[in-house]
Each structure stands twice: as C-alpha cells, then as structure tokens.
Amino acid sequence: GAGVSQTPSNKVTEKGKYVELRCDPISGHTALYWYRQSLGQGPEFLIYFQGTGAADDSGLPNDRFFAVRPEGSVSTLKIQRTERGDSAVYLCASSFSVRDTQYFGPGTRLTVL
Amino acid sequence: KQEVTQIPAALSVPEGENLVLNCSFTDSAIYNLQWFRQDPGKGLTSLLLIQSSQREQTSGRLNASLDKSSGRSTLYIAASQPGDSATYLCAVPASGGSYIPTFGRGTSLIVHP
C-alpha cells in the first residue's frame, strides 16, 4: 500500500512569506507527527496529533508555526512570516497508535532566502 | 529531559565486517526503543522496534538489544554490505510516559567494497 507522502518535496521562499507543508499519512493511522531536521542532527519533534486533535504541540518553536488535521487524516504544517532559521527538512510520520512503529515520509526541504 | 547519545558519530569499514552501533539514553523509564535508517536526502525507515519488556529484536542481519536499567541499546549489523551505508538513528520516548520520541544524532556508516 501507499506510504506516507509529503508535498512539496522542495520549497524555496523568501523571508517573511507564508508557507504550507502537507502530509498524507498511511490510511488508518491515528497518530501523526511532525518533525524538523537540520543537517547532521536527528529529527526534532514539533507536534503530534491523535485523530483530529493536537495531543502535544510543545515542540513548536513559536507562534509562527501552526498545524492542523481537520478530518483526522491529512495534516498541514503552516509557517507564517518565515525566517532564514526556519530552513530545514520537515518530516512527517504516522503510526497506527502512539506506541507503534512510526512510518516516515520523504520530507519537505524548506529553504528561506 | 531525555538525552540520547549515539557512538560512534561516524564509521567507515570494509565490506564483510560485523558492526556494533551504540545508543545510550538518560531516562530509563521508556516503553520502547526504535532504530531507524536514513539514506541521504530521504526520510527515515524503521528497522527494529524493541518493547521495554524485550531484551532484543532480530531482522535478517540486524540485531538490536536493549538494557533499560543501564540506559543502553546496541544495533549489531552482521556481514556488512555497501548497501548498508546510511545514517542509523535510535529514538526513545522523551521521558517517562511521554509519546514524544527523542532522537540521537545518528551514526553515519560507510561500507566500502
């Protein structure tokens, strides 16, 4: 079956612009995670959803970052007023439940000029 | 706060060697530990998931062990092949009953023919 997909694969934007990153999890997976990964680092947790609700958003760096999952499937990570420091690879993962194996998407590489 | 350390940071070996990658964590109150593989420019692929009640898990040439009390896990790769070249990351829950994974920085492995 289909794995986790993320779009776009690459996004280049200018400082101050708004961006949306999309994640399509594996069908039937209730848990969905967003991470950010910088070069040479492991993924850094941002937020996770259990169903439609954000169960923990403690990893979001500031209020410019927001994520939604309105129907408990597709999720969108939204970044307002982008800054150069937001440049990274944004990874999405899903799992059947929170204690199960996480399956990752290929990531979206965000570059803020 | 959970901290995860992976040693060595990088490893370059000739094909055929047996390898040991180490992962240590500071908060041993975990319910599982997961090992991932990441190829350059790609997302993470789950290799092995060890529940806290288990001592080890095996998949093909891979064997992962878990010693909760000492806060350590080891990934053993038998008869390494060039196709094993990748970064290997371990992840444990952030703390106690948290569902948020904390990742190490990974071990970058190169297996040359």
Side-chain angles (χ1 to χ4, degrees):
Chain A
V4 178
S5 62
Q6 292 185 246
T7 54
S9 55
N10 280 284
K11 177 69 177 179
V12 180
T13 191
E14 294 180 344
K15 180 175 179 294
K17 298 291 188 181
Y18 168 83
V19 297
E20 290 190 353
L21 312 180
R22 176 187 168 107
C23 173
D24 281 85
I26 293 172
S27 178
H29 280 192
T30 62
L32 185 147
Y33 297 78
W34 282 100
Y35 299 88
R36 179 167 69 175
Q37 186 176 28
S38 301
L39 192 64
Q41 305 290 322
E44 172 193 16
F45 168 79
L46 296 176
I47 184 172
Y48 97 89
F49 291 86
Q50 181 62 43
T52 59
D56 192 318
D57 64 357
S58 61
L60 295 178
N62 52 59
D63 61 6
R64 296 186 297 106
F65 288 75
F66 189 71
V68 295
R69 194 187 185 196
E71 298 180 356
S73 178
V74 171
S75 177
T76 304
L77 178 66
K78 309 179 181 191
I79 309 174
Q80 298 178 323
R81 305 183 304 281
T82 52
E83 299 177 357
R84 293 193 180 88
D86 298 335
S87 297
V89 175
Y90 289 80
L91 296 167
C92 174
S94 72
S95 61
F96 185 73
S97 72
V98 292
R99 291 193 173 208
D100 290 325
T101 298
Q102 292 191 24
Y103 296 87
F104 280 76
T108 294
R109 180 175 298 278
L110 175 66
T111 303
V112 182
L113 301 176
Chain B
K1 178 186 173 186
Q2 181 74 273
E3 293 182 6
V4 181
T5 303
Q6 291 191 245
I7 295 172
L11 193 57
S12 180
V13 299
E15 181 176 9
E17 282 204 2
N18 300 323
L19 308 173
V20 175
L21 308 182
N22 297 290
C23 171
S24 62
F25 44 95
T26 54
D27 185 343
S28 60
I30 62 170
Y31 56 84
N32 66 23
L33 180 146
Q34 197 160 0
W35 281 94
F36 293 88
R37 167 187 174 137
Q38 186 172 31
D39 293 281
K42 307 289 186 183
L44 281 67
T45 300
S46 176
L47 297 173
L48 292 164
L49 172 68
I50 310 176
Q51 301 295 345
S52 61
S53 58
Q54 298 174 316
R55 297 283 295 185
E56 63 180 84
Q57 278 283 340
T58 298
S59 176
R61 294 181 295 107
L62 304 179
N63 175 276
S65 65
L66 174 62
D67 184 342
K68 265 188 60 175
S69 60
S70 66
R72 294 181 183 180
S73 177
T74 298
L75 179 66
Y76 178 81
I77 303 175
S80 58
Q81 303 172 357
D84 295 331
S85 299
T87 297
Y88 291 81
L89 299 114
C90 71
V92 292
S95 63
S98 171
Y99 295 130
I100 301 169
T102 297
F103 285 82
R105 289 189 168 190
T107 293
S108 177
L109 173 64
I110 296 175
V111 181
H112 48 87

